[in-house]
Structures are given as C-alpha cells and as structure tokens.
Amino acid sequence: MKDASHLYEVERRARHAERPGFRITELQISPAQQVPWHSHTNVQDTFYVLVGELRLFLRDPKEDVRLKPGETYAVRAGRPHLVTNPGLARPRFSCCRASGNTTTCR
C-alpha cells in the first residue's frame, strides 16, 4: 500500500487498523498544519471527527465543509481535497481508506 503521509507533518499519527484493502488512521493537526491538496484515483476517504473541528476544502465541484465531533464526511475517489484546522484547538480525526490507491498531490 502506497502511503504519502511522510510528505506532510502532523502532531500525531496512529494507525488503528490495516488489512488488505482497508486502513484506519487517526490524525491530530495543529493550527498551522494541514493535509495538502491531493486526490485518490480509486479510493474514497471518509473523515470522522473525534475532537475539535475540521475543515475540508474540495474541488470538482468546489465545496467548503466544516465538521464537528461525531460528524463524518466521505470524499469520493478522484475528488481533490485539502484538510485544515479552522481554529486554535488541535482536532483529532480518523480517516478510513481502502488500500491499493494512488495518491496525487496537487
């Protein structure tokens, strides 16, 4: 499974589950950090906020999504997205994704 997480810095990264075809990663980002613009050719990212607030910017079509604890949002395969911290807190969230994807940074 290709993993591009080494291309960006986060405060905390923990892999909770991984098996062929599936992975769950928990991330925590500071106010200055973000997961840069990227897309996945045949993988859907599903975000679930555990603590704090998360902001997703999406293209094709353009969309701005804010998530609070307990909320989830799925980004379809091929849709470019950017994950940011909209405040001063340190949001913690999980990202569920299928393996075998190709990530393209934009």
Side-chain angles (χ1 to χ4, degrees):
M1 175 172 176
K2 283 190 168 186
D3 185 1
S5 63
H6 65 283
L7 298 175
Y8 57 91
E9 186 177 322
V10 296
E11 281 190 340
R12 180 176 183 274
R13 180 181 285 115
R15 195 158 289 165
H16 290 297
E18 186 169 12
R19 63 174 172 77
F22 188 74
R23 177 174 70 194
I24 299 174
T25 304
E26 181 182 321
L27 299 140
Q28 179 174 312
I29 57 176
S30 76
Q33 293 173 323
Q34 64 183 18
V35 178
W37 281 105
H38 67 284
S39 64
H40 310 280
T41 52
N42 40 345
V43 171
Q44 175 175 291
D45 270 349
T46 302
F47 296 93
Y48 178 80
V49 178
L50 301 162
V51 175
E53 188 176 335
L54 198 62
R55 189 172 186 186
L56 306 172
F57 292 95
L58 303 109
R59 296 183 188 146
D60 303 328
K62 186 176 178 180
E63 190 175 2
D64 181 349
V65 176
R66 289 181 181 256
L67 300 173
K68 295 183 179 182
E71 295 181 332
T72 187
Y73 188 87
V75 179
R76 68 169 164 73
R79 189 172 187 194
H81 53 287
L82 167 74
V83 182
T84 67
N85 178 346
L88 298 176
R90 289 166 154 66
R92 211 174 40 170
F93 59 97
S94 65
C95 180
C96 302
R97 149 184 325 155
S99 66
N101 65 319
T102 302
T103 300
T104 304
C105 295
R106 306 209 182 233

